[in-house]
Amino acid sequence: MSTQEPLPRAYEPAQVEAKWFPKWEAAGNFHGKPNPEKKPYSIVIPPPNVTGILTLGHVLNNTLQDILCRYHRMKGEEVCWFPGTDHAGIATEARVEKYLRKEENTGRDELGREEFIRRVWQWKGEFGGKIIRQLRTLGCSCDWKRERFTMDEGLSEAVRKVFVELYHKGYIYRGQRMINWCPVAKSALSDEEVIYKEVPGKFYHFRYPLADGTGYLVVATTRPETMFGDTAVAVHPDDERYKHLIGKMVRLPLTDREIPIIADEHADPTKGTGCVKITPAHDPNDFEVGRRHGLEVINIMNPDASLNARCGAQFEGLDRFEARDLCVKLLEEQGLVEKIEDIRHAVGYSERGDVPIETLVSYQWFCNMKELAKPAIEAVKSGKIKFYPERWSKTYFHWMENIQDWCISRQIWWGHRIPAWYNDENGEIYVGMEAPTAPGKWRQEEDVLDTWFSSWLWPFSIMGWPKETEELKYFYPTCDLVTGPDIIFFWVARMIMAGCEFMKEIPFRNVYFTSIIRDEQGRKLSKSLGNSPDPLDVIAEYGADALRFSIVYIAPVGMDIRYSNEKCELGRNFANKLWNACRFRQMQGGVSAGFRELDPAVLASLSCDERWMLSRLDAAISSITTALAEFRFHSAAHELYDLVWSNFCDWFIEAEKVPMRAGGAEKERALAVLDYALFRILRLLHPFMPFITEELAHQMGFVADGASIMYEAFPEPDACCSADPAELERVDGKFELVRGGRFLKASYNIPDGKKVKFYVKAVDADALAFFREQEPSLRSLLNAEEIEFSLDDFDSAARGAAPSRLCRFGTIYLPLADLIDVAAERKKLEKQQKELQGWIAGSRAKLSNERFLAKAPEQVVADARAHLAELEEKLARTEEMLNSLR
């Protein structure tokens, strides 16, 4: 081992983190390659959009993936974490269009397809993939040599092959169907790309006059502008109110058309007036009614959701919401408005455009998913694929068992262009890997494929499929997937379907769904609310390790996270605690020869504190290993925190100062155990906090120059010492006694540095003997001048006041005669008691007031109850202290 410079007094994460990542990468530490001598472990990154920047969601997701990769690397497996990015068709096209409009006052329509796509590639090269560079800052140990992009040539070949195969199997087809339309992207959307929001709206009741002039029907709608696409009014066939009108005509307001009154069970007699306007081109239910009755399908919308020429000159070109207002105004002028009601209703919004979608009939490409879904359903039902938390399987089954055809075409330019060609001379359609060579005038389909059509192939296309690569043979199927529950339909389910169909094998074995991150008020983090911090700013302030550890520590399985930057102080303080522990050890001398394995002579002479520490370490290793196997990262982080902060730093290091001060063989043994425990702790921590553990492993001399802690074995319980459970319990009792003594000093504001006398009454002779044996340790831990041990109660009548704390193996007393003015302290406490009793009486009176309870906001009442509980707890403590002084 090389001689190291002393550790600096303060840990500077920025310097350490900037040093180690380039070294790891230069050494090829992240590169996984087929190795028949090793068990493979592989993960594919959920490919972030090239428009993206690092968010706290990415921080959590990728930290968990990195923990798994570093853990399995330390277990001796051949690890490969495949990274890459997604072209994100609609999102990227919109981003580039906005950029071009702002910077160059131009856009896709002016540039044309070829030039616009060239500019998107240019933008991607300059601005895309920022998140990948930022993930390095977080310490992600991806195999960066294998980084891929969903529009790389190899991945594009995979997309074409899948499309062609599914087309020739009859799964992919082109047809006219009702679809979701985004007016911003001017493109079709799948059902999963529509987000429903509860928004205020209006329910308009209009009169449709009968064509014979004998009256009118009242129909209700939330979208008056769609009346230009009405082709019928439906009533229920058994509705006695309207049976006589079936087959007659009504005049469609604001048009010169007449439309029929039809009988259809879609009309519900119990809702509204029982009369329903039928607009087949703009409502899914109306479309089905139109098919049953052979109604005309009239599309009244332009691609940007303005009204088209079918609506008349007065409305042509108007925005849909402007048209709505004009419709209502004109109908009011004509006396055709029955009433208007204010309502709240669910409206579908485009996930990317964040505007209300339009439902309209359009020719699109679809993929029939029902057969593809069957083996994917069975894969989860049989347990071949497991979800964590398991409850997400119910969501998965509900969607898969009711799966609809997937609209896979998009009316944008950035993406994988559909490999279909049309022969304008004879109407033939050709689908193939390359353009047709047959004679004729062929033109390629203008549409591109949905972004997810390439992403669902990610686990095997990223490894070179359709070629049979060595990586594919060795690393597929992957082991684990870490992702968000919001893309269970978009991505997880479709990857399982694709894996089963094209690889005849599941794509992964376990899926862990991460938490949703919210602010302290429970709101989801978002840029629009201004409550989402930039993780790079957090890293700059606290360090990458601190952010990683903190966000895992506060993320229980299956529950949302309440995040604030201040919570990263936990990780920063934890890193500092570890640093200071190592610095203290380094100051005691060079590393012990047995830091990897304790010498038998050392094992034979262990103290009870050392056996206690090694036992606690073995228990923690078992618990952490089980937690990682079960994807309980949060539990593992808590176990690590307690092991390092409490057991190792607060108790063991402090207790070992006694043999270290003794010198000689005792000191050598203490340092050997300290080093052995410390190296195991650093290895346990490495997956969670890679930078500081690498730095300390080298600084302490545990790892040689040129090597890395990431290839050191993850610790296993070794039971190197036989620990008697009764002895471990007595050591716990000793530390409990120390906590009691420290509490007593703090209660009476006695400085930690002031040496005091304690009296300890043991519960029995065995405890008394143990405490007397541990007197040097107890005096050190309590900073006591003297400790008197006995089986008798403290004689307060003869010795004066002495507050006490009852512990498992005895009671510890703090005689106060020489420490404080007991009479003055009693007077102060009596005054405090009286004040607290007054405040409690007032608080109880307030909470017994029925008017207050009825009128005050719920949170105000809750705060008042919490305040009362706090006052009562303070009073109980004050009275306890008073009693101890009598």
Side-chain angles (χ1 to χ4, degrees):
M1 300 296 167
S2 61
T3 303
Q4 298 293 338
E5 293 292 325
L7 282 170
R9 289 183 63 85
Y11 174 50
E12 298 292 345
Q15 295 176 11
V16 170
E17 291 163 8
K19 174 174 82 174
W20 280 112
F21 196 89
K23 286 190 175 185
W24 290 331
E25 197 167 11
N29 289 340
F30 305 153
H31 185 52
K33 47 188 180 296
N35 182 350
E37 302 298 317
K38 284 187 175 185
K39 178 183 176 182
Y41 180 83
S42 56
I43 280 185
V44 295
I45 198 171
N49 295 348
V50 292
T51 59
I53 59 170
L54 196 65
T55 67
L56 284 170
H58 291 113
V59 168
L60 175 62
N61 187 299
N62 287 280
T63 295
L64 298 181
Q65 291 178 78
D66 196 44
I67 288 170
L68 289 171
C69 287
R70 290 180 183 272
Y71 168 69
H72 284 277
R73 200 177 280 119
M74 296 178 79
K75 298 288 278 187
E77 298 170 24
E78 187 64 27
V79 173
C80 194
W81 182 5
F82 292 85
T85 50
D86 194 299
H87 66 281
I90 290 176
T92 304
E93 182 155 317
R95 184 78 174 268
V96 176
E97 175 84 5
K98 183 178 179 180
Y99 173 81
L100 290 171
R101 289 285 170 207
K102 180 181 177 183
E103 299 297 328
E104 302 179 28
N105 194 29
T106 189
R108 60 173 246 163
D109 293 336
E110 293 89 338
L111 294 172
R113 183 171 197 139
E114 186 176 334
E115 176 60 17
F116 179 75
I117 291 175
R118 188 188 73 80
R119 299 295 289 274
V120 180
W121 276 107
Q122 185 181 47
W123 188 92
K124 185 260 178 185
E126 188 174 351
F127 300 107
K130 281 184 181 179
I131 193 171
I132 293 295
R133 296 189 290 275
Q134 293 167 334
L135 288 174
R136 295 167 180 260
T137 307
L138 191 63
C140 294
S141 60
C142 297
D143 188 344
W144 298 108
K145 294 178 181 178
R146 298 188 185 277
E147 184 181 340
R148 302 299 299 273
F149 177 52
T150 50
M151 285 181 63
D152 287 348
E153 179 48 43
L155 277 71
S156 294
E157 181 187 357
V159 168
R160 293 195 302 274
K161 180 177 176 62
V162 165
F163 185 95
V164 172
E165 284 192 14
L166 292 179
Y167 177 80
H168 289 300
K169 282 185 177 181
Y171 290 164
I172 285 180
Y173 63 94
R174 187 171 185 267
Q176 187 183 42
R177 294 219 4 221
M178 180 67 63
I179 53 99
N180 305 301
W181 185 264
C182 174
V184 173
K186 300 176 187 175
S187 173
L189 303 174
S190 67
D191 290 344
E192 294 73 42
E193 291 169 299
V194 178
I195 298 171
Y196 286 89
K197 300 181 184 182
E198 282 285 331
V199 296
K202 294 186 183 297
F203 209 24
Y204 303 90
H205 298 252
F206 298 137
R207 297 173 180 176
Y208 280 32
L210 294 168
D212 61 11
T214 59
Y216 56 82
L217 296 179
V218 176
V219 299
T221 180
T222 58
R223 304 172 66 214
E225 69 280 6
T226 62
M227 70 165 49
F228 295 108
D230 290 359
T231 51
V233 172
V235 297
H236 194 278
D238 299 329
D239 193 333
E240 294 295 336
R241 294 171 295 175
Y242 306 115
K243 269 188 174 182
H244 65 290
L245 297 175
I246 295 170
K248 292 193 173 186
M249 308 291 284
V250 295
R251 293 200 307 274
L252 182 61
L254 306 182
T255 74
D256 57 1
R257 290 192 292 122
E258 292 184 359
I259 57 177
I261 301 169
I262 61 172
D264 194 281
E265 292 184 352
H266 169 62
D268 187 344
T270 66
K271 290 185 178 178
T273 63
C275 302
V276 183
K277 64 192 282 296
I278 303 300
T279 319
H282 296 283
D283 182 273
N285 293 319
D286 293 3
F287 179 72
E288 295 303 321
V289 174
R291 287 175 65 173
R292 289 196 289 271
H293 294 270
L295 299 176
E296 184 183 2
V297 178
I298 302 174
N299 186 345
I300 64 162
M301 293 281 181
N302 292 316
D304 63 355
S306 63
L307 272 58
N308 63 26
R310 295 296 299 263
C311 305
Q314 191 173 10
F315 287 89
E316 183 179 2
L318 280 184
D319 171 79
R320 54 185 165 162
F321 300 116
E322 293 175 341
R324 178 177 301 176
D325 292 340
L326 182 57
C327 277
V328 175
K329 178 176 179 291
L330 294 177
L331 289 170
E332 283 177 330
E333 290 174 358
Q334 296 177 22
L336 297 179
V337 176
E338 181 85 2
K339 64 178 178 179
I340 301 174
E341 299 174 314
D342 289 324
I343 59 169
R344 287 192 67 83
H345 60 152
V347 174
Y349 275 69
S350 164
E351 183 193 33
R352 293 298 181 190
D354 197 30
V355 295
I357 62 155
E358 285 295 332
T359 49
L360 51 85
V361 173
S362 172
Y363 272 101
Q364 300 287 340
W365 289 88
F366 296 90
C367 184
N368 186 319
M369 306 298 284
K370 284 185 171 55
E371 288 302 313
L372 295 172
K374 289 177 182 176
I377 292 171
E378 182 57 28
V380 178
K381 276 190 175 174
S382 67
K384 284 183 72 177
I385 296 176
K386 294 182 178 178
F387 287 176
Y388 299 84
E390 194 277 332
R391 62 183 169 84
W392 286 110
S393 62
K394 295 177 183 177
T395 306
Y396 174 84
F397 290 136
H398 177 76
W399 186 74
M400 292 288 277
E401 289 166 358
N402 297 279
I403 198 165
Q404 302 298 309
D405 288 2
W406 176 13
C407 178
I408 58 175
S409 50
R410 298 292 181 269
Q411 288 65 55
I412 57 175
W413 290 347
W414 174 244
H416 296 96
R417 196 163 175 181
I418 291 175
W421 287 261
Y422 304 99
N423 189 323
D424 292 333
E425 295 172 351
N426 58 19
E428 183 183 351
I429 297 178
Y430 171 82
V431 171
M433 294 292 290
E434 305 295 339
T437 56
K441 189 176 180 182
W442 296 93
R443 61 180 175 82
Q444 188 175 357
E445 169 66 74
E446 293 286 324
D447 291 355
V448 301
L449 288 161
D450 178 12
T451 290
W452 299 100
F453 198 88
S454 52
S455 300
W456 75 326
L457 314 178
W458 188 248
F460 48 91
S461 66
I462 200 172
M463 297 185 197
W465 188 88
K467 295 182 177 65
E468 292 188 13
T469 64
E470 291 302 311
E471 288 79 6
L472 197 62
K473 293 175 187 175
Y474 183 74
F475 286 118
Y476 188 91
T478 64
C479 300
D480 304 319
L481 176 72
V482 179
T483 189
D486 52 331
I487 55 175
I488 191 170
F489 312 130
F490 287 112
W491 196 46
V492 178
R494 288 172 180 161
M495 281 192 291
I496 298 173
M497 287 186 269
C500 292
E501 174 68 16
F502 298 104
M503 296 297 297
K504 308 306 177 189
E505 179 61 276
I506 57 173
F508 31 71
R509 299 184 183 93
N510 302 295
V511 184
Y512 178 82
F513 293 105
T514 59
S515 307
I516 294 173
I517 304 180
R518 303 183 183 277
D519 65 14
E520 290 286 73
Q521 299 177 42
R523 302 173 303 174
K524 190 173 179 179
L525 297 185
S526 71
K527 291 180 183 177
S528 59
L529 290 174
N531 64 345
S532 181
D534 183 338
L536 292 184
D537 291 341
V538 181
I539 290 173
E541 182 175 357
Y542 295 96
D545 282 337
L547 174 57
R548 287 168 62 116
F549 190 83
S550 300
I551 206 163
V552 175
Y553 188 92
I554 64 174
V557 176
M559 295 175 64
D560 293 354
I561 298 173
R562 293 291 182 98
Y563 176 85
S564 66
N565 282 351
E566 290 71 26
K567 291 188 176 179
C568 291
E569 290 177 8
L570 177 142
R572 179 168 62 187
N573 293 341
F574 185 62
N576 288 335
K577 187 87 167 178
L578 181 66
W579 184 269
N580 289 333
C582 289
R583 186 168 179 272
F584 167 78
R585 166 60 190 92
Q586 195 184 60
M587 292 166 65
Q588 312 310 310
V591 66
S592 307
F595 70 89
R596 290 183 181 275
E597 184 177 357
L598 288 173
D599 186 270
V602 171
L603 289 171
S605 61
L606 294 174
S607 70
C608 64
D609 290 335
E610 289 156 357
R611 284 191 288 271
W612 176 87
M613 184 65 232
L614 294 177
S615 174
R616 286 287 176 270
L617 188 53
D618 272 1
I621 290 169
S622 296
S623 180
I624 291 163
T625 302
T626 300
L628 289 176
E630 297 174 355
F631 302 94
R632 292 184 291 107
F633 303 96
H634 159 267
S635 298
H638 278 251
E639 192 76 38
L640 280 164
Y641 187 89
D642 291 343
L643 173 70
V644 176
W645 192 289
S646 179
N647 294 336
F648 185 70
C649 293
D650 284 357
W651 294 120
F652 182 62
I653 288 181
E654 292 303 311
E656 288 297 87
K657 287 179 180 178
V658 174
M660 281 190 275
R661 282 194 291 265
E666 280 197 67
K667 180 177 181 180
E668 287 183 15
R669 186 200 70 230
L671 293 179
V673 177
L674 201 61
D675 288 343
Y676 177 78
L678 187 53
F679 187 39
R680 286 162 77 78
I681 283 170
L682 290 177
R683 285 180 284 152
L684 277 175
L685 262 175
H686 177 71
F688 295 79
M689 305 178 82
F691 293 108
I692 191 171
T693 51
E694 186 77 90
E695 177 72 6
L696 289 173
H698 283 80
Q699 291 281 2
M700 298 303 296
F702 296 148
V703 175
D705 290 343
S708 172
I709 193 175
M710 75 176 70
Y711 289 113
E712 295 287 345
F714 194 81
E716 295 181 359
D718 62 4
C720 61
C721 68
S722 55
D724 177 8
E727 180 185 54
L728 297 178
E729 192 174 356
R730 284 195 295 272
V731 176
D732 280 332
K734 178 179 78 168
F735 294 145
E736 184 188 10
L737 199 74
V738 172
R739 281 193 294 271
R742 290 174 177 175
F743 177 83
L744 292 172
K745 287 179 74 174
S747 297
Y748 294 92
N749 299 315
I750 298 168
D752 288 338
K754 183 173 179 61
K755 289 191 176 293
V756 298
K757 296 179 182 179
F758 286 100
Y759 182 93
V760 174
K761 178 203 171 184
V763 293
D764 55 33
D766 287 342
L768 180 64
F770 177 73
F771 286 145
R772 282 177 171 162
E773 175 193 310
Q774 293 294 308
E775 182 179 1
S777 177
L778 282 165
R779 276 208 323 270
S780 176
L781 291 168
L782 284 165
N783 194 28
E785 181 182 355
E786 178 186 341
I787 306 176
E788 184 179 346
F789 302 98
S790 174
L791 290 174
D792 301 324
D793 287 324
F794 183 81
D795 187 354
S796 57
R799 301 193 186 197
S804 63
R805 295 293 286 183
L806 178 66
C807 302
R808 195 179 335 177
F809 292 105
T811 303
I812 186 166
Y813 296 83
L814 176 61
L816 295 173
D818 300 326
L819 297 173
I820 65 170
D821 183 335
V822 175
E825 182 70 16
R826 188 184 298 119
K827 187 175 181 181
K828 183 184 81 173
L829 290 170
E830 286 171 346
K831 179 184 178 186
Q832 187 173 316
Q833 178 189 38
K834 188 174 181 181
E835 288 175 345
L836 285 166
Q837 288 170 339
W839 294 336
I840 287 170
S843 186
R844 285 175 176 166
K846 183 179 181 180
L847 284 167
S848 63
N849 186 326
E850 294 298 332
R851 290 184 63 189
F852 168 73
L853 294 174
K855 292 187 175 182
E858 187 177 330
Q859 188 59 50
V860 171
V861 175
D863 289 345
R865 287 188 172 130
H867 181 59
L868 173 59
E870 183 183 346
L871 291 172
E872 289 173 336
E873 195 244 336
K874 284 182 179 178
L875 178 62
R877 178 71 193 119
T878 300
E879 290 175 341
E880 180 186 344
M881 293 173 71
L882 259 175
N883 290 334
S884 71
L885 296 180
R886 292 194 172 104

